[in-house]
Amino acid sequence: MHATETFARYATEFRQARLDDEVLHHAKRAVIDWHAALFPGLDVAPMPQLRALLADDIGRGRARLPDGRPVPARAAALLNGAAAHAAEVDDSFRDAMYHPGAATVAAALAIAQERGASGLDFLRGVVLGYEVSTRIGVAMGRAHYRYWHNTGTVGTFGAAASAAGLLGLHGASFAHALATAATFAAGLQQAFRMDSMSKPLHAGRAAEGGVLAAQLAAQGVTGSLDVLDGEAGFGRAMSDGPDWSAVGDTLGRDFHIKRLTFKNHIGCGHTFAAIDGALELARRHGLRAADIRRVHVATYGPALDIACYEDPRTENEARFSMRFVVATALVHGSVRLAAYTPERLADADVRAMMARITAVVDPEIDAAFPGRRSARVEIETTDGQRHAWLQPDRKGDPELPLSDAELDDKFLELAAPVIGAERARALLRNIWSLDKADGLQGLTA
Amino acid sequence: MHATETFARYATEFRQARLDDEVLHHAKRAVIDWHAALFPGLDVAPMPQLRALLADDIGRGRARLPDGRPVPARAAALLNGAAAHAAEVDDSFRDAMYHPGAATVAAALAIAQERGASGLDFLRGVVLGYEVSTRIGVAMGRAHYRYWHNTGTVGTFGAAASAAGLLGLHGASFAHALATAATFAAGLQQAFRMDSMSKPLHAGRAAEGGVLAAQLAAQGVTGSLDVLDGEAGFGRAMSDGPDWSAVGDTLGRDFHIKRLTFKNHIGCGHTFAAIDGALELARRHGLRAADIRRVHVATYGPALDIACYEDPRTENEARFSMRFVVATALVHGSVRLAAYTPERLADADVRAMMARITAVVDPEIDAAFPGRRSARVEIETTDGQRHAWLQPDRKGDPELPLSDAELDDKFLELAAPVIGAERARALLRNIWSLDKADGLQGLTA
């Protein structure tokens, strides 16, 4: 049985299965966190440009933009998928090195709105997309992550699986949706190792490509069912020939959606263990910026490959600068939206702190990646003391999760400045009761 | 200078350069051959399904479907790009293992129609797309072709470069169009090693992705200019780290568009040297099917990797079956549209001939790939004679080109059954005089 068929068999079973309350709860958390990421992303480049380009599509169709304007499903997926990744605050599934929400929820929402689906059906589509795509991401492994941006590549499967579920596809047609998605999957890491606007587009294209793949399958369009595991397939072309034999073994038993990481800071998640460690040391020892002579960060390799900007000049580069975010944490106490304003980019205190920070790869920490995202932080004070802290996980990781209340606070902090506090609170209530909602009207203005 | 910038510098020069008559002549030949491939593809799967899916887009916009119906540019690119690759009769640029026309001409046409461009501007867009994308394909080399379908991947650059040229982009904005295109590029070989409808979608997605990349660049959206040559870029992720240093050296001097291969048969071009060789032996020795005991084909490796179906059961599989097409040539004398009808798929004479055919890789012929596409054919007759023939090139290759008259004949044979002989002749006249046309009205009904 090809991997596409393994997932298709599960999609067939999933139609009949009752979602248990805990899975449903986590699906709502994912939808809340997706919206928390969406709103601050709406005006980050390239979103205004993308909306200008799609102006002809806005105003027609049955899916919706966050402000309630109608739009066709594929355009909604492209726009909402990109926006949800643009502010770099969307969820992660750590073992797949992947932000599953951006494309998956965007695609599920677009098709659910187009079909007039219930809240529960929408949540089920989300769960299906997470369960399928995270498993593909895990199978592809670290070799895939060397060159590829999983949020673009693996995200295409999240979108396709969600959309296919909501279109009522199962069995062979579900498998064909995944097969077509596989050969649409794209997104290079190099696209964000230089300052550029590409990264959110990966999530948008993944959402749109996945929706198209599912819509094509619904029209009877076939793909190659061996496209994941075949000799010239996704696994060999884009990784080191992963083993697909066990890819579906825990489907329906171990729900990955229960083990998401929600970001507690804003920026590249690979920097968060270092931020948490630095904040922990400052708290424990009562350190102010002026007390710090030297900071040394030791973490896993990809963190430094990706959060690589030594001297960031733009908001984008700053989000991917280990030195900038750790310095910001130590100087200002948090790394949220305010961290990336032009004033902060030029902040002399942050720049002075950056000059005191070094970062290296720690082989032991690196060996535990991607299952663990750790950092060891050492601070030497101006009076010659040395303090060290191993931060084994990030606040927001499954081992150290945001509580529901913390998630609500994060959502309100990020949504309220964009849509107002009242609408943000109403939206939050509506998401928490989605499983009781006949439709999705409660999600838009 | 990054490769994207090398091409961007050329795009700036190209705006001022006068196209010489020979280049213009070859551009028209490419547009004729693109239309010859387009018409028989219009109703091959997945085209009817794709049109059904895009029904909401058909009837609005300023680009055109071949029947004249209006459609937005990106939808036109998707539909026309896929259609032009669906019947497997589109052009090739051999050194890049790539069908440049399908996506490139579709994208150029869509943007030219949207902008109300002149015939000459459209042809210039086509030339720019061919020159840029074929060079990227050559640079990516044989390692890329192991897993990737160049018509999907490299085709994205053909579409982006054409569209960017027609949108008036040059310098940095042209480079950003290519950079964004790079991270949209997709299409796996495995997607057509099993019977599926994916292959034409690769060309369609390439055309649509390239148009989107160019439109985004026109809106000011940036990509990573090092995305081709960087550590985690297109070259390393999707090939063996090609050398980009000389990628632009012959731009503006050696026009690749003058060295296209136009198919003289219908099906996978990797089988054509074998078909030509078999037909040549039959002609020289007056052989009928009944005279043939055994046929042995020796050719280059990728031909047998791709034209791999031993026992084809569908039209798609038959196009990619070395044994089927060689048997068809020997039994019926040609491999054109009629070769793939249900009657022919079940033809007992063809099946009997297939059983007498073997095919292997010849190391010497393989070593000359992709620059040469040769096959050695040996036929043993029922009376014990043995005849052998080395077919060094394919009829239609630059060394053995279709004359203008042969190209016209091919076009009329393929177009007339779809649009009628009169309209086909008028269209042909209009393409030959495109450089004098104020607009592109002469290309559609």
Side-chain angles (χ1 to χ4, degrees):
Chain A
M1 185 180 293
H2 295 298
T4 53
E5 296 169 310
T6 301
F7 290 119
R9 192 174 57 175
Y10 176 64
T12 303
E13 288 167 18
F14 184 76
R15 282 158 60 88
Q16 312 297 336
R18 192 187 151 276
L19 278 192
D20 77 37
D21 290 344
E22 198 189 346
V23 172
L24 210 50
H25 183 81
H26 282 280
K28 292 177 195 171
R29 283 172 55 98
V31 172
I32 289 169
D33 198 67
W34 183 82
H35 280 87
L38 175 75
F39 293 116
L42 285 174
D43 282 314
V44 173
M47 293 312 302
Q49 295 90 338
L50 199 55
R51 277 195 299 273
L53 197 55
L54 297 180
D56 278 357
D57 275 330
I58 297 173
R60 62 189 201 89
R62 281 178 292 173
R64 290 283 180 273
L65 295 184
D67 60 13
R69 281 181 291 174
V71 69
R74 280 193 304 286
L78 176 57
L79 287 162
N80 292 337
H85 196 55
E88 295 289 342
V89 65
D90 48 329
D91 68 0
S92 312
F93 185 72
R94 197 174 47 191
D95 294 351
M97 294 154 286
Y98 162 49
H99 299 289
T104 303
V105 179
L109 186 59
I111 296 293
Q113 289 169 331
E114 187 184 61
R115 309 261 300 177
S118 71
L120 183 61
D121 283 344
F122 163 59
L123 292 171
R124 292 177 64 88
V126 169
V127 172
L128 188 59
Y130 273 74
E131 297 311 311
V132 170
S133 63
T134 53
R135 281 171 170 81
I136 292 173
V138 169
M140 291 296 280
R142 196 162 167 172
H144 181 64
Y145 198 62
R146 189 167 166 208
Y147 296 119
W148 298 98
H149 180 208
N150 297 20
T151 300
T153 56
V154 180
T156 311
F157 297 100
S162 278
L166 279 154
L167 288 168
L169 307 186
H170 57 103
S173 59
F174 188 91
H176 285 297
L178 294 185
T180 298
T183 202
F184 288 174
L188 295 162
Q189 291 237 349
Q190 195 71 38
F192 49 92
R193 293 207 185 164
M194 194 178 215
D195 187 50
S196 90
M197 304 178 194
S198 296
K199 197 166 182 280
L201 290 170
H202 291 174
R205 284 284 283 180
E208 182 264 344
V211 165
L212 178 62
Q215 290 174 325
L216 286 165
Q219 291 282 341
V221 170
T222 60
S224 284
L225 298 182
D226 63 355
V227 72
L228 292 177
D229 36 45
E231 275 299 309
F234 186 73
R236 286 182 182 273
M238 299 166 90
S239 185
D240 52 1
D243 177 12
W244 296 95
S245 61
V247 77
D249 282 1
T250 64
L251 275 167
R253 291 187 286 113
D254 174 22
F255 280 86
H256 287 183
I257 201 167
K258 291 158 58 174
R259 289 207 309 280
L260 300 176
T261 293
F262 294 134
K263 287 188 173 182
N264 193 38
H265 311 293
I266 291 186
C268 174
H270 290 312
T271 64
F272 288 5
I275 295 172
D276 289 338
L279 289 173
E280 182 66 22
L281 281 177
R283 192 188 62 74
R284 285 181 173 241
H285 304 286
L287 304 175
R288 296 159 308 142
D291 303 329
I292 295 171
R293 178 183 292 158
R294 210 178 58 82
V295 181
H296 188 65
V297 173
T299 189
Y300 51 93
L304 301 184
D305 291 345
I306 293 173
C308 60
Y309 293 98
E310 293 288 315
D311 181 24
R313 292 289 154 197
T314 67
E315 185 177 338
N316 255 335
E317 289 183 354
R319 287 199 191 97
F320 291 91
S321 169
M322 177 67 84
R323 297 209 304 172
F324 180 83
V325 297
V326 171
T328 295
L330 288 170
V331 172
H332 293 284
S334 76
V335 187
R336 287 275 169 99
L337 286 178
Y340 304 103
T341 57
E343 298 70 40
R344 283 286 191 82
L345 285 175
D347 184 329
D349 291 341
V350 172
R351 294 283 163 178
M353 183 64 76
M354 286 171 68
R356 296 174 221 151
I357 298 177
T358 51
V360 297
V361 175
D362 177 300
E364 204 173 317
I365 289 175
D366 186 64
F369 177 87
R372 271 328 266 271
R373 309 289 174 97
S374 314
R376 185 186 314 276
V377 183
E378 292 174 22
I379 292 182
E380 186 186 324
T381 60
T382 49
D383 60 3
Q385 294 185 61
R386 287 165 181 267
H387 307 291
W389 177 258
L390 173 67
Q391 180 72 28
D393 299 294
R394 305 168 295 187
K395 174 67 180 170
D397 269 337
E399 295 79 4
L400 206 59
L402 298 188
S403 68
D404 287 351
E406 285 171 329
L407 180 63
D408 285 356
D409 285 347
K410 173 186 167 184
F411 171 88
L412 292 170
E413 179 183 340
L414 293 169
V418 181
I419 60 173
E422 194 178 340
R423 210 197 122 206
R425 280 191 300 269
L427 175 53
L428 190 57
R429 280 194 305 273
N430 292 341
I431 300 175
W432 279 122
S433 60
L434 256 182
D435 52 321
K436 310 281 186 273
D438 289 343
L440 301 176
Q441 299 79 1
L443 298 188
T444 47
Chain B
M1 185 180 292
H2 295 298
T4 53
E5 296 169 309
T6 301
F7 290 119
R9 191 173 58 175
Y10 176 63
T12 303
E13 288 167 19
F14 185 76
R15 282 158 59 88
Q16 312 297 335
R18 191 186 152 277
L19 277 193
D20 78 37
D21 289 345
E22 197 188 347
V23 172
L24 210 49
H25 183 81
H26 282 280
K28 292 178 195 170
R29 281 173 56 99
V31 172
I32 289 169
D33 198 66
W34 183 82
H35 280 88
L38 175 76
F39 292 115
L42 286 174
D43 282 315
V44 172
M47 292 313 302
Q49 294 90 338
L50 199 55
R51 276 193 300 273
L53 197 56
L54 297 180
D56 278 357
D57 275 331
I58 297 174
R60 63 187 200 92
R62 280 178 293 175
R64 291 283 180 272
L65 295 185
D67 60 12
R69 280 183 291 173
V71 71
R74 280 193 305 285
L78 176 57
L79 287 161
N80 292 336
H85 196 55
E88 295 289 342
V89 63
D90 48 329
D91 67 2
S92 310
F93 184 72
R94 198 174 47 190
D95 293 351
M97 294 154 286
Y98 162 49
H99 299 290
T104 303
V105 178
L109 187 58
I111 297 292
Q113 288 169 331
E114 187 184 60
R115 308 261 300 177
S118 70
L120 183 61
D121 282 345
F122 164 58
L123 291 171
R124 293 178 63 89
V126 169
V127 172
L128 188 58
Y130 273 73
E131 297 311 311
V132 169
S133 63
T134 54
R135 281 170 169 82
I136 292 173
V138 169
M140 291 296 281
R142 196 161 167 173
H144 181 63
Y145 197 61
R146 187 166 167 210
Y147 296 118
W148 298 97
H149 180 209
N150 296 22
T151 301
T153 55
V154 180
T156 310
F157 297 100
S162 278
L166 279 154
L167 288 167
L169 307 187
H170 57 103
S173 59
F174 189 91
H176 285 298
L178 295 185
T180 299
T183 203
F184 288 175
L188 295 162
Q189 290 236 348
Q190 196 70 36
F192 49 91
R193 293 208 185 163
M194 193 177 216
D195 187 51
S196 90
M197 304 177 194
S198 296
K199 196 166 182 278
L201 290 171
H202 291 175
R205 284 285 284 181
E208 182 263 343
V211 165
L212 179 61
Q215 290 174 324
L216 286 165
Q219 291 282 343
V221 170
T222 60
S224 284
L225 298 182
D226 62 354
V227 72
L228 291 177
D229 36 44
E231 275 298 309
F234 186 72
R236 286 182 182 271
M238 300 167 89
S239 186
D240 53 0
D243 177 12
W244 296 95
S245 62
V247 77
D249 282 2
T250 63
L251 274 167
R253 291 187 287 114
D254 174 21
F255 280 85
H256 287 182
I257 202 167
K258 291 157 61 173
R259 290 207 308 280
L260 300 176
T261 293
F262 294 135
K263 286 187 173 183
N264 193 38
H265 313 292
I266 291 186
C268 174
H270 289 312
T271 65
F272 288 6
I275 294 173
D276 289 338
L279 289 173
E280 182 67 21
L281 280 176
R283 191 188 63 75
R284 286 182 172 241
H285 303 286
L287 303 175
R288 296 158 307 142
D291 303 329
I292 295 171
R293 177 181 293 159
R294 211 178 60 79
V295 181
H296 189 65
V297 173
T299 189
Y300 51 94
L304 302 183
D305 290 345
I306 293 173
C308 60
Y309 293 98
E310 293 288 316
D311 182 24
R313 293 288 152 198
T314 67
E315 186 177 338
N316 255 335
E317 289 183 355
R319 288 199 190 98
F320 291 89
S321 169
M322 177 66 83
R323 297 210 303 172
F324 180 84
V325 297
V326 171
T328 295
L330 288 169
V331 172
H332 294 284
S334 76
V335 188
R336 287 277 170 97
L337 287 178
Y340 304 103
T341 59
E343 298 71 39
R344 282 287 191 81
L345 285 175
D347 184 329
D349 291 341
V350 171
R351 294 283 163 179
M353 183 63 76
M354 286 171 68
R356 296 174 220 151
I357 298 176
T358 50
V360 297
V361 175
D362 177 300
E364 205 173 318
I365 289 174
D366 186 65
F369 176 88
R372 276 314 275 272
R373 309 290 175 97
S374 313
R376 185 186 314 275
V377 183
E378 292 175 23
I379 292 182
E380 186 185 324
T381 60
T382 50
D383 60 2
Q385 293 187 63
R386 288 167 180 266
H387 307 291
W389 177 257
L390 173 67
Q391 180 72 27
D393 300 292
R394 305 167 295 187
K395 174 68 180 170
D397 269 337
E399 295 78 4
L400 206 60
L402 299 187
S403 67
D404 288 349
E406 286 171 330
L407 180 63
D408 285 355
D409 285 348
K410 172 186 167 185
F411 171 87
L412 292 171
E413 180 183 338
L414 293 169
V418 181
I419 59 173
E422 195 177 339
R423 209 198 124 205
R425 281 192 299 269
L427 175 53
L428 191 56
R429 279 194 305 274
N430 292 341
I431 300 175
W432 280 122
S433 60
L434 257 181
D435 52 322
K436 311 280 186 278
D438 288 342
L440 301 176
Q441 300 80 1
L443 298 188
T444 47

